[in-house]
Amino acid sequence: MTEYGDDSDEDGAAGTRPRRSNQQRSADTRQALIGAARALFAVHGYAATGTPEILARAGVSRGALYHQFTDKAALFQAVLEDAQADIVAAIDRAAHAAPDALHALRAGSRAFVTTATRPDIRQIVLIDGPAVLGWKTWRKVDAAHGLGTLILGLNALADEGRLRPGLSVQALALMLSGALNEAALGLAAADGGVTGPAVTMAIDALIDGIVLPSL
């Protein structure tokens, strides 16, 4: 197992392989822990994943773990932020191809549901996230990622003069975020009660209710 501060990158025979800096070794160790924990949390959930399993998968020592994170919950928060970054990337890709703010909001909302329905994202972001970190911390992370993109999209809609007068962007973002989270959970349950086309129609209906008709 490797540990922060271990200088094992140099080729002992040839002596030609450059050594990583302490900063690079630390970053590599952190990423190894996040990657290992994310893979395990996605399959087994937070509660059923032990620290020894994470260390074994990452190939690092317990000391290296606690050099990077205060505890398992802190590691989970880093995993949550990593998963949230995947959601934002999917939203950005979908919205970037849209011709205007309205189409971008629709496309981004659909992309969120599609991505959040993935088993790994659903387990980490929607199920374990609030339970492990508590609503206050979970919402703080979400505000910097998924909720943050909704606020940007709604502000763009307002800037184009398409948002109905008097509506609060912050309130709309919170309500749309809650609806999209529930839609993703409903789809992932796969019990036949919620379908992809039905969710798409519901998203469009919600957005239609907050925009002014086109001229």
Side-chain angles (χ1 to χ4, degrees):
M1 289 189 179
T2 59
E3 188 167 358
Y4 177 71
D6 178 23
D7 228 342
S8 58
D9 284 85
E10 187 176 12
D11 188 326
T16 58
R17 194 171 171 186
R19 294 183 176 185
R20 293 175 299 166
S21 67
N22 285 347
Q23 184 177 10
Q24 184 60 53
R25 284 197 303 276
S26 179
D28 290 347
T29 298
R30 182 181 180 86
Q31 194 54 50
L33 285 163
I34 291 173
R38 179 170 175 174
L40 291 168
F41 291 154
V43 175
H44 305 295
Y46 176 86
T49 300
T51 300
E53 289 83 5
I54 297 172
L55 297 177
R57 188 179 183 98
V60 303
S61 70
R62 185 174 293 273
L65 168 63
Y66 291 115
H67 181 87
Q68 298 292 332
F69 302 101
T70 55
D71 53 23
K72 183 178 145 186
L75 172 58
F76 176 82
Q77 181 168 339
V79 168
L80 173 66
E81 291 171 352
D82 193 57
Q84 284 274 21
D86 283 0
I87 294 175
V88 172
I91 293 171
D92 286 347
R93 285 193 299 269
H96 182 73
D100 55 35
L102 177 57
H103 287 86
L105 183 60
R106 293 190 198 278
S109 297
R110 294 169 185 170
F112 169 84
V113 172
T114 298
T115 307
T117 306
R118 281 173 30 190
D120 60 326
I121 298 290
R122 177 175 62 95
Q123 181 66 45
I124 293 167
V125 175
L126 300 181
I127 297 176
D128 278 342
V132 173
L133 300 178
W135 278 104
K136 184 176 181 179
T137 300
W138 183 84
R139 285 172 66 84
K140 181 178 179 181
V141 173
D142 187 55
H145 295 87
L147 180 63
T149 62
L150 262 179
I151 291 173
L152 289 174
L154 289 166
N155 278 328
L157 198 64
D159 290 342
E160 291 186 3
R162 296 299 307 278
L163 191 65
R164 288 185 180 276
L167 293 178
S168 162
V169 165
Q170 186 69 26
L172 286 173
L174 289 172
M175 294 183 69
L176 285 173
S177 177
L180 294 174
N181 286 342
E182 286 299 319
L185 287 169
L187 275 176
D191 58 4
V194 180
T195 65
V199 167
T200 297
M201 290 180 63
I203 289 172
D204 288 346
L206 286 173
I207 293 175
D208 287 344
I210 67 171
V211 298
L212 291 169
S214 57
L215 299 177

